[in-house]
Coordinates of all heavy atoms in Angstrom, one line a residue:
D1 N 0.8 -1.2 0.0 CA 0.0 0.0 0.0 C 0.9 1.3 0.0 O 0.5 2.3 -0.6 CB -0.9 0.0 1.2 CG -2.1 -1.0 1.1 OD1 -2.5 -1.2 -0.1 OD2 -2.5 -1.5 2.1
A2 N 2.0 1.2 0.7 CA 2.9 2.4 0.7 C 3.4 2.6 -0.7 O 3.4 3.8 -1.2 CB 4.1 2.1 1.7
A3 N 3.9 1.6 -1.4 CA 4.4 1.7 -2.7 C 3.2 2.2 -3.7 O 3.5 3.1 -4.6 CB 4.9 0.4 -3.2
D4 N 2.1 1.7 -3.5 CA 0.9 2.0 -4.3 C 0.6 3.5 -4.2 O 0.2 4.2 -5.1 CB -0.3 1.1 -4.0 CG -1.4 1.4 -5.0 OD1 -1.3 1.3 -6.2 OD2 -2.5 1.9 -4.5
L5 N 0.6 4.0 -2.9 CA 0.3 5.4 -2.7 C 1.3 6.3 -3.4 O 0.8 7.3 -4.1 CB 0.3 5.7 -1.2 CG 0.2 7.2 -0.8 CD1 -1.1 7.7 -1.3 CD2 0.3 7.3 0.7
I6 N 2.5 6.0 -3.3 CA 3.5 6.9 -4.0 C 3.3 6.8 -5.5 O 3.4 7.8 -6.2 CB 5.0 6.4 -3.6 CG1 5.2 6.7 -2.1 CG2 6.0 7.2 -4.4 CD1 6.4 6.0 -1.6
S7 N 3.1 5.6 -6.0 CA 2.9 5.4 -7.5 C 1.6 6.2 -7.9 O 1.6 6.9 -9.0 CB 2.7 3.9 -7.8 OG 2.4 3.7 -9.1
H8 N 0.6 6.1 -7.1 CA -0.7 6.8 -7.3 C -0.4 8.3 -7.4 O -0.9 9.0 -8.3 CB -1.7 6.5 -6.2 CG -2.9 7.3 -6.3 ND1 -3.9 7.0 -7.2 CD2 -3.4 8.3 -5.5 CE1 -4.9 7.9 -7.0 NE2 -4.6 8.6 -6.0
L9 N 0.3 8.9 -6.5 CA 0.6 10.3 -6.5 C 1.4 10.8 -7.7 O 1.2 11.8 -8.2 CB 1.3 10.7 -5.2 CG 0.5 10.5 -3.9 CD1 1.3 10.8 -2.6 CD2 -0.8 11.5 -3.9
I10 N 2.4 9.9 -8.1 CA 3.2 10.3 -9.3 C 2.2 10.3 -10.5 O 2.3 11.2 -11.3 CB 4.3 9.2 -9.5 CG1 5.3 9.3 -8.4 CG2 4.9 9.4 -10.9 CD1 6.4 8.2 -8.4
G11 N 1.3 9.3 -10.6 CA 0.4 9.3 -11.7 C -0.5 10.5 -11.7 O -0.7 11.1 -12.8
L12 N -0.9 11.0 -10.6 CA -1.8 12.2 -10.5 C -1.0 13.4 -11.0 O -1.5 14.2 -11.8 CB -2.3 12.4 -9.1 CG -3.3 11.4 -8.6 CD1 -3.7 11.7 -7.1 CD2 -4.6 11.3 -9.4
D13 N 0.2 13.5 -10.5 CA 1.0 14.7 -10.9 C 1.3 14.7 -12.4 O 1.2 15.7 -13.1 CB 2.4 14.7 -10.1 CG 3.1 16.0 -10.3 OD1 2.8 16.9 -9.5 OD2 4.0 16.1 -11.2
A14 N 1.5 13.5 -13.0 CA 1.8 13.4 -14.4 C 0.5 13.8 -15.2 O 0.7 14.2 -16.3 CB 2.2 11.9 -14.7
Q15 N -0.6 13.6 -14.6 CA -1.9 14.0 -15.3 C -2.2 15.5 -15.1 O -3.2 16.0 -15.6 CB -3.0 13.1 -14.7 CG -2.9 11.7 -15.0 CD -3.9 10.8 -14.2 OE1 -5.0 11.3 -13.9 NE2 -3.6 9.6 -14.0
G16 N -1.4 16.2 -14.3 CA -1.6 17.6 -14.1 C -2.5 17.9 -12.9 O -2.9 19.1 -12.7
V17 N -2.7 16.9 -12.0 CA -3.5 17.1 -10.8 C -2.6 17.9 -9.8 O -1.4 17.5 -9.6 CB -4.0 15.8 -10.2 CG1 -4.7 16.0 -8.9 CG2 -4.9 15.1 -11.2
L18 N -3.1 18.9 -9.1 CA -2.4 19.6 -8.2 C -2.3 18.8 -6.9 O -3.3 18.5 -6.3 CB -3.1 21.0 -7.9 CG -2.3 21.9 -6.9 CD1 -1.0 22.3 -7.4 CD2 -3.2 23.1 -6.6
L19 N -1.1 18.6 -6.4 CA -0.8 17.8 -5.2 C -0.6 18.7 -4.0 O -0.1 19.8 -4.2 CB 0.4 16.8 -5.4 CG 0.3 15.7 -6.4 CD1 1.5 14.8 -6.4 CD2 -1.0 14.9 -6.3
Q20 N -0.9 18.2 -2.9 CA -0.6 18.9 -1.6 C 0.9 18.7 -1.3 O 1.6 17.8 -1.8 CB -1.5 18.3 -0.5 CG -3.0 18.5 -0.7 CD -3.5 19.9 -0.5 OE1 -2.8 20.7 0.0 NE2 -4.7 20.1 -1.0
S21 N 1.4 19.4 -0.3 CA 2.8 19.3 0.1 C 3.0 18.1 1.0 O 4.2 17.7 1.2 CB 3.2 20.6 0.8 OG 2.5 20.8 2.0
A22 N 2.0 17.5 1.6 CA 2.2 16.4 2.4 C 1.0 15.4 2.4 O -0.2 15.9 2.3 CB 2.5 16.8 3.9
Y23 N 1.3 14.1 2.6 CA 0.2 13.1 2.7 C 0.6 12.1 3.8 O 1.8 11.8 3.9 CB 0.0 12.4 1.4 CG -0.6 13.2 0.3 CD1 0.2 13.9 -0.6 CD2 -2.0 13.4 0.2 CE1 -0.3 14.7 -1.6 CE2 -2.6 14.1 -0.9 CZ -1.7 14.8 -1.7 OH -2.3 15.6 -2.7
L24 N -0.4 11.7 4.5 CA -0.1 10.6 5.5 C -0.4 9.3 4.8 O -1.5 9.0 4.3 CB -1.1 10.8 6.7 CG -0.5 11.6 7.8 CD1 -1.6 11.9 8.8 CD2 0.6 10.9 8.5
G25 N 0.6 8.4 4.9 CA 0.4 7.0 4.3 C 0.2 6.0 5.5 O 1.2 5.5 6.0
V26 N -1.0 5.8 5.8 CA -1.4 4.8 6.9 C -2.6 4.1 6.5 O -3.4 4.5 5.5 CB -1.7 5.6 8.2 CG1 -0.4 6.3 8.7 CG2 -2.8 6.6 8.1
D27 N -2.9 3.0 7.1 CA -4.2 2.3 6.8 C -5.3 2.9 7.5 O -5.2 4.0 8.1 CB -4.0 0.8 7.2 CG -3.9 0.5 8.7 OD1 -4.2 1.4 9.5 OD2 -3.4 -0.6 9.0
D28 N -6.5 2.3 7.5 CA -7.7 2.9 8.0 C -7.9 2.8 9.5 O -8.8 3.4 10.1 CB -8.9 2.3 7.3 CG -9.0 2.6 5.9 OD1 -8.3 3.6 5.4 OD2 -9.7 1.9 5.1
L29 N -7.1 2.0 10.2 CA -7.4 1.7 11.6 C -6.2 1.8 12.5 O -5.4 0.9 12.7 CB -7.9 0.2 11.7 CG -8.4 -0.2 13.1 CD1 -9.6 0.6 13.5 CD2 -8.7 -1.7 13.1
P30 N -6.0 3.0 13.2 CA -5.1 3.1 14.3 C -5.6 2.2 15.4 O -6.8 2.0 15.6 CB -5.2 4.6 14.7 CG -5.9 5.3 13.6 CD -6.8 4.3 12.9
V31 N -4.7 1.5 16.1 CA -5.1 0.5 17.1 C -4.0 0.4 18.2 O -2.9 0.6 18.0 CB -5.3 -0.9 16.4 CG1 -4.0 -1.4 15.8 CG2 -5.9 -1.9 17.3
E32 N -4.5 0.0 19.4 CA -3.6 -0.1 20.5 C -2.7 -1.3 20.2 O -3.1 -2.3 19.7 CB -4.4 -0.4 21.8 CG -5.2 0.8 22.3 CD -5.9 0.5 23.6 OE1 -6.1 -0.6 23.9 OE2 -6.3 1.5 24.2
Q33 N -1.4 -1.1 20.6 CA -0.4 -2.2 20.4 C -0.9 -3.5 21.1 O -0.7 -4.6 20.6 CB 0.9 -1.7 21.0 CG 2.1 -2.7 20.8 CD 3.4 -2.2 21.4 OE1 3.4 -2.0 22.6 NE2 4.4 -2.1 20.6
A34 N -1.4 -3.4 22.3 CA -1.8 -4.6 23.1 C -2.9 -5.3 22.3 O -3.0 -6.6 22.3 CB -2.3 -4.2 24.5
Q35 N -3.8 -4.6 21.6 CA -4.9 -5.3 20.9 C -4.3 -6.1 19.7 O -4.8 -7.2 19.4 CB -5.9 -4.2 20.4 CG -7.1 -4.8 19.7 CD -8.1 -3.7 19.3 OE1 -8.2 -2.7 19.9 NE2 -8.9 -4.0 18.2
V36 N -3.3 -5.5 19.0 CA -2.7 -6.2 17.9 C -2.0 -7.5 18.4 O -2.2 -8.5 17.8 CB -1.7 -5.3 17.2 CG1 -1.0 -6.0 16.0 CG2 -2.3 -4.0 16.7
V37 N -1.3 -7.4 19.5 CA -0.6 -8.5 20.1 C -1.6 -9.6 20.4 O -1.4 -10.8 20.1 CB 0.2 -8.2 21.3 CG1 0.8 -9.4 22.0 CG2 1.4 -7.2 20.9
S38 N -2.7 -9.2 21.1 CA -3.7 -10.2 21.5 C -4.3 -10.9 20.4 O -4.5 -12.2 20.4 CB -4.8 -9.5 22.4 OG -5.8 -10.4 22.7
W39 N -4.6 -10.2 19.3 CA -5.2 -10.8 18.1 C -4.3 -11.7 17.4 O -4.6 -12.8 17.0 CB -5.7 -9.7 17.2 CG -6.4 -10.2 15.9 CD1 -7.7 -10.6 15.8 CD2 -5.8 -10.4 14.7 NE1 -7.9 -11.0 14.5 CE2 -6.8 -10.9 13.8 CE3 -4.5 -10.3 14.2 CZ2 -6.5 -11.3 12.5 CZ3 -4.2 -10.6 12.8 CH2 -5.3 -11.1 12.0
L40 N -3.0 -11.3 17.3 CA -2.0 -12.1 16.6 C -1.8 -13.4 17.4 O -1.6 -14.5 16.8 CB -0.7 -11.4 16.5 CG -0.6 -10.4 15.3 CD1 0.7 -9.6 15.4 CD2 -0.8 -11.0 14.0
Q41 N -1.8 -13.3 18.8 CA -1.6 -14.5 19.6 C -2.7 -15.5 19.3 O -2.5 -16.7 19.2 CB -1.5 -14.2 21.0 CG -0.3 -13.5 21.5 CD -0.3 -13.1 22.9 OE1 -1.4 -12.8 23.5 NE2 0.9 -13.0 23.6
Q42 N -3.9 -15.0 19.2 CA -5.1 -15.9 18.9 C -4.9 -16.6 17.5 O -5.2 -17.8 17.4 CB -6.4 -15.1 18.9 CG -6.7 -14.6 20.3 CD -8.0 -13.7 20.3 OE1 -8.7 -13.7 19.3 NE2 -8.1 -12.9 21.3
Q43 N -4.5 -15.8 16.5 CA -4.3 -16.4 15.2 C -3.2 -17.4 15.1 O -3.3 -18.4 14.4 CB -4.1 -15.2 14.2 CG -5.1 -14.2 14.1 CD -6.5 -14.7 13.9 OE1 -6.7 -15.5 13.0 NE2 -7.5 -14.3 14.7
L44 N -2.1 -17.1 15.9 CA -0.9 -18.0 15.8 C -1.0 -19.1 16.8 O -0.2 -20.1 16.7 CB 0.3 -17.1 16.1 CG 0.7 -16.0 15.1 CD1 1.7 -15.1 15.7 CD2 1.2 -16.7 13.8

């Protein structure tokens, strides 16, 4: 997704779309570290 975002922004600029000076590259869900660990333990 990180690579795709950068590729996507390059494509927009090449099309003449005005880009902002900064973008955040993150997924849709900030989450507590403990929650990620607990879920991974269950899966593993």
Side-chain angles (χ1 to χ4, degrees):
D1 286 327
D4 183 62
L5 173 58
I6 296 169
S7 175
H8 172 75
L9 293 174
I10 293 173
L12 291 179
D13 191 84
Q15 296 168 29
V17 176
L18 181 63
L19 297 184
Q20 301 283 347
S21 61
Y23 291 91
L24 270 170
V26 298
D27 67 19
D28 293 341
L29 185 65
V31 63
E32 292 180 344
Q33 184 183 58
Q35 183 177 335
V36 181
V37 172
S38 177
W39 182 83
L40 283 174
Q41 287 178 331
Q42 293 175 18
Q43 303 304 312
L44 295 166

